Coordinates of all heavy atoms in Angstrom, one line a residue:
K1 N 100.1 90.5 123.1 CA 100.3 90.6 124.6 C 100.8 92.0 125.0 O 100.3 92.6 126.0 CB 101.3 89.6 125.1 CG 101.4 89.6 126.6 CD 102.4 88.4 127.1 CE 102.6 88.5 128.5 NZ 103.4 87.4 129.0
T2 N 101.8 92.6 124.3 CA 102.4 93.8 124.8 C 102.0 95.0 123.8 O 102.4 96.1 124.3 CB 103.9 93.7 124.7 OG1 104.4 93.4 123.4 CG2 104.3 92.5 125.7
Q3 N 101.5 94.8 122.7 CA 101.2 95.8 121.7 C 102.5 96.4 121.2 O 102.5 97.6 120.7 CB 100.3 96.8 122.2 CG 98.9 96.3 122.5 CD 98.2 95.7 121.3 OE1 98.1 96.3 120.3 NE2 97.8 94.4 121.4
R4 N 103.6 95.8 121.4 CA 105.0 96.3 120.9 C 105.2 95.6 119.6 O 105.1 94.3 119.5 CB 106.0 96.0 122.0 CG 105.9 96.8 123.2 CD 106.9 96.3 124.3 NE 108.2 96.2 123.8 CZ 109.1 97.3 123.9 NH1 108.7 98.4 124.4 NH2 110.3 97.1 123.5
P5 N 105.8 96.4 118.6 CA 106.2 95.7 117.4 C 107.5 94.9 117.6 O 108.3 95.2 118.4 CB 106.4 96.9 116.4 CG 106.8 98.0 117.3 CD 106.0 97.8 118.6
V6 N 107.6 93.8 116.8 CA 108.8 93.0 116.9 C 109.1 92.6 115.5 O 108.2 92.2 114.7 CB 108.6 91.8 117.8 CG1 107.5 90.8 117.3 CG2 109.9 91.0 118.0
Q7 N 110.4 92.6 115.1 CA 110.8 92.2 113.8 C 111.4 90.8 113.9 O 111.9 90.4 115.0 CB 111.9 93.1 113.2 CG 111.3 94.3 112.6 CD 112.5 95.1 111.9 OE1 113.3 95.7 112.5 NE2 112.4 95.1 110.6
F8 N 111.3 90.0 112.8 CA 112.0 88.7 112.8 C 112.5 88.4 111.3 O 112.0 88.9 110.4 CB 111.0 87.6 113.3 CG 109.7 87.5 112.6 CD1 109.6 86.7 111.5 CD2 108.6 88.2 113.1 CE1 108.3 86.6 110.8 CE2 107.4 88.1 112.5 CZ 107.3 87.4 111.3
E9 N 113.4 87.5 111.3 CA 114.0 87.1 110.0 C 113.2 85.9 109.5 O 112.7 85.1 110.3 CB 115.5 86.8 110.1 CG 115.9 85.5 110.8 CD 115.6 85.4 112.3 OE1 115.2 86.5 112.9 OE2 115.7 84.4 113.0
I10 N 113.2 85.7 108.2 CA 112.6 84.5 107.6 C 113.7 83.9 106.6 O 114.0 84.5 105.6 CB 111.3 84.8 106.8 CG1 110.3 85.6 107.8 CG2 110.6 83.5 106.4 CD1 109.0 86.0 107.0
T11 N 114.3 82.8 107.0 CA 115.3 82.2 106.3 C 114.8 81.6 105.0 O 113.6 81.4 104.8 CB 116.0 81.1 107.1 OG1 115.1 80.1 107.5 CG2 116.6 81.7 108.4
Q12 N 115.7 81.3 104.1 CA 115.4 80.7 102.8 C 114.6 79.4 103.0 O 113.7 79.2 102.2 CB 116.7 80.4 102.0 CG 116.5 79.9 100.6 CD 115.7 80.9 99.7 OE1 115.9 82.0 99.8 NE2 115.0 80.3 98.8
T13 N 115.1 78.5 103.9 CA 114.4 77.3 104.1 C 112.9 77.5 104.5 O 112.0 76.9 104.0 CB 115.1 76.5 105.2 OG1 116.4 76.1 104.8 CG2 114.3 75.2 105.5
T14 N 112.7 78.5 105.4 CA 111.4 78.8 105.8 C 110.5 79.5 104.7 O 109.4 79.1 104.5 CB 111.4 79.8 107.0 OG1 112.0 79.1 108.2 CG2 110.0 80.2 107.5
R15 N 111.1 80.4 104.0 CA 110.4 81.0 102.9 C 109.9 79.9 101.8 O 108.8 80.1 101.4 CB 111.3 82.0 102.2 CG 111.7 83.3 103.0 CD 112.2 84.4 102.2 NE 113.3 84.1 101.4 CZ 114.5 84.3 101.9 NH1 114.8 84.8 103.1 NH2 115.6 84.1 101.1
E16 N 110.7 79.0 101.5 CA 110.4 78.0 100.6 C 109.2 77.1 101.1 O 108.3 76.8 100.3 CB 111.6 77.1 100.2 CG 112.7 77.8 99.5 CD 113.9 77.0 99.3 OE1 113.9 75.8 99.8 OE2 114.9 77.5 98.6
S17 N 109.2 76.7 102.3 CA 108.2 75.9 102.9 C 106.9 76.7 103.0 O 105.8 76.1 102.8 CB 108.6 75.4 104.3 OG 108.8 76.4 105.2
V18 N 107.0 78.0 103.4 CA 105.7 78.8 103.5 C 105.1 79.1 102.2 O 103.9 79.0 102.0 CB 106.0 80.1 104.3 CG1 104.8 81.0 104.3 CG2 106.4 79.8 105.7
E19 N 106.0 79.3 101.2 CA 105.4 79.6 99.8 C 104.7 78.4 99.3 O 103.7 78.5 98.5 CB 106.6 80.0 98.9 CG 107.1 81.5 99.1 CD 108.3 81.9 98.3 OE1 108.8 81.1 97.6 OE2 108.8 83.0 98.5
A20 N 105.3 77.2 99.5 CA 104.7 75.9 99.1 C 103.4 75.8 99.8 O 102.4 75.3 99.1 CB 105.6 74.8 99.5
W21 N 103.2 76.1 101.0 CA 101.9 76.0 101.7 C 100.9 77.0 101.2 O 99.8 76.6 100.9 CB 102.1 76.3 103.2 CG 100.8 76.4 104.0 CD1 100.5 77.6 104.7 CD2 99.8 75.5 104.1 NE1 99.3 77.4 105.3 CE2 98.8 76.1 104.9 CE3 99.5 74.3 103.6 CZ2 97.6 75.6 105.3 CZ3 98.3 73.6 103.9 CH2 97.4 74.2 104.8
I22 N 101.3 78.2 100.9 CA 100.4 79.3 100.3 C 99.9 78.8 99.0 O 98.7 78.9 98.6 CB 101.2 80.6 100.2 CG1 101.4 81.2 101.6 CG2 100.4 81.6 99.4 CD1 102.3 82.4 101.6
Q23 N 100.8 78.2 98.1 CA 100.4 77.8 96.9 C 99.5 76.6 96.9 O 98.5 76.5 96.2 CB 101.6 77.4 96.0 CG 102.5 78.6 95.7 CD 103.9 78.3 95.0 OE1 104.1 77.1 94.7 NE2 104.7 79.3 94.9
R24 N 99.7 75.7 97.9 CA 98.9 74.5 98.0 C 97.5 74.9 98.4 O 96.5 74.3 97.9 CB 99.5 73.6 99.2 CG 98.6 72.5 99.7 CD 98.5 71.4 98.7 NE 99.8 70.6 98.5 CZ 100.2 69.6 99.3 NH1 99.4 69.2 100.2 NH2 101.3 69.0 99.0
R25 N 97.3 75.9 99.3 CA 96.0 76.3 99.7 C 95.4 77.4 98.9 O 94.3 77.8 99.2 CB 96.0 76.7 101.2 CG 96.1 75.5 102.2 CD 94.8 74.7 102.1 NE 93.6 75.5 102.4 CZ 93.0 75.5 103.6 NH1 93.5 74.8 104.6 NH2 92.0 76.2 103.8
H26 N 96.2 78.0 98.0 CA 95.7 79.0 97.1 C 95.3 80.2 98.0 O 94.3 80.9 97.8 CB 94.6 78.7 96.2 CG 94.9 77.5 95.4 ND1 95.7 77.5 94.3 CD2 94.4 76.3 95.4 CE1 95.8 76.4 93.7 NE2 95.0 75.6 94.4
L27 N 96.2 80.6 99.0 CA 95.9 81.6 100.0 C 96.1 83.0 99.4 O 97.0 83.2 98.6 CB 96.7 81.5 101.2 CG 96.5 80.2 102.0 CD1 97.5 80.1 103.2 CD2 95.1 80.1 102.6
R28 N 95.2 84.0 99.7 CA 95.3 85.3 99.2 C 95.9 86.3 100.3 O 96.0 85.8 101.5 CB 94.0 85.8 98.8 CG 93.4 85.0 97.5 CD 91.9 85.4 97.3 NE 91.1 85.0 98.5 CZ 89.8 85.2 98.6 NH1 89.1 85.7 97.5 NH2 89.1 84.8 99.6
S29 N 96.2 87.5 100.0 CA 96.9 88.3 100.8 C 96.2 88.6 102.2 O 96.8 88.6 103.2 CB 97.0 89.7 100.1 OG 97.6 90.7 101.0
D30 N 94.8 88.6 102.2 CA 94.1 88.9 103.4 C 93.7 87.6 104.1 O 93.2 87.7 105.3 CB 92.7 89.6 103.1 CG 93.0 91.1 102.7 OD1 94.0 91.6 103.0 OD2 92.0 91.6 102.0
D31 N 94.1 86.5 103.6 CA 93.7 85.2 104.3 C 94.7 85.0 105.5 O 95.8 85.4 105.5 CB 93.9 84.0 103.3 CG 92.8 84.0 102.3 OD1 91.7 84.6 102.5 OD2 93.1 83.4 101.2
F32 N 94.2 84.3 106.5 CA 95.0 83.8 107.5 C 96.0 82.8 106.9 O 95.6 82.0 106.1 CB 94.2 83.2 108.6 CG 93.5 84.2 109.5 CD1 92.2 84.4 109.5 CD2 94.3 85.1 110.4 CE1 91.5 85.3 110.3 CE2 93.7 86.0 111.2 CZ 92.2 86.1 111.1

């Protein structure tokens, strides 16, 4: 919307759930 960069934190709980999802779908670096 603004073309402005924004940073955000990813907590341990979130990292674990996202990693589980990436592994489940076998997602690669360029994948959505």
